[in-house]
Amino acid sequence: MYPAARLAGPREFTENCIIDPRIWSDPLEFKPERFLTTHKTVDVRVQNFELLPFGSGRRACPGISFALQMVQLALASFLHMYDISIPSDAKVDMTETVGLTNNKATPLEVLIKPRLHLQALWIKDCLIYNSCADLRIVI
Ligand code: HEM
């Protein structure tokens, strides 16, 4: 299992469906809430073809199920444990750079504050897992 072309190799698309305004209103705007409202039925498992983060066809990502669960687990754990904010009320600049992957053009400053006391987390996690035996918290 290896990519059909070198990962860093250029790929050419015949249509740019990801930013097609017939499918995505304001396609260049960062609007994650669209996946809770107008596009909440979009399926990234290659059912509708509006959004293909895992590719499609025979060479589609075989790690899709694992990846979706891991992303949800990591994100949920992070949001559960920390309050995240930005230092000012200014709108976050979402300008991207051009490249193999889209990076943010300007650095993002975030404040990350623990939400729960460590002891509280320990007790809560013990309750969830019904056992403290192999639970480790590394700070
Ligand atoms: C959020 C996480 C991930 C994303 C967005 C992602 C996305 C992709 C994409 C777009 C491709 C290329 C599909 C194509 O060429 O049409 C790919 C291929 C691949 N991915 Fe993932 N992937 C993720 C996680 C994973 C994980 C966790 C694994 C393994 C445990 C994995 C293993 C692979 C492999 C082996 C291929 C090559 C498949 C082939 O060429 O036949 N990926 N992935």
Side-chain angles (χ1 to χ4, degrees):
M1 290 201 296
Y2 54 87
R6 275 189 316 128
L7 188 61
R11 297 191 185 202
E12 189 178 334
F13 297 91
T14 52
E15 277 183 58
N16 200 342
C17 52
I18 298 293
I19 57 167
D20 188 337
R22 289 172 302 177
I23 295 167
W24 303 99
S25 58
D26 302 324
L28 296 176
E29 291 296 312
F30 178 67
K31 288 184 173 176
E33 67 276 12
R34 65 173 99 224
F35 295 103
L36 297 172
T37 55
T38 51
H39 290 81
K40 68 179 172 190
T41 56
V42 167
D43 184 353
V44 293
R45 288 171 183 268
V46 199
Q47 298 300 313
N48 308 117
F49 294 93
E50 300 105 321
L51 185 64
L52 299 169
F54 296 96
S56 82
R58 293 171 61 190
R59 304 308 293 264
C61 178
I64 183 168
S65 294
F66 179 68
L68 287 174
Q69 290 186 64
M70 283 301 112
V71 167
Q72 187 170 4
L73 178 66
L75 189 59
S77 303
F78 183 62
L79 295 174
H80 172 65
M81 292 175 73
Y82 299 101
D83 274 331
I84 305 128
S85 59
I86 51 173
S88 75
D89 290 337
K91 204 174 168 203
V92 174
D93 176 12
M94 294 300 294
T95 313
E96 300 163 0
T97 58
V98 177
L100 183 64
T101 56
N102 289 353
N103 294 318
K104 204 169 164 305
T106 53
L108 175 66
E109 280 186 61
V110 284
L111 302 173
I112 299 172
K113 198 171 111 190
R115 293 181 60 216
L116 305 171
H117 187 271
L118 192 57
Q119 190 63 34
L121 277 177
W122 179 269
I123 292 166
K124 194 165 188 301
D125 285 346
C126 287
L127 287 175
I128 289 170
Y129 292 110
N130 290 323
S131 162
C132 299
D134 53 5
L135 183 65
R136 299 278 186 280
I137 296 180
V138 181
I139 299 174

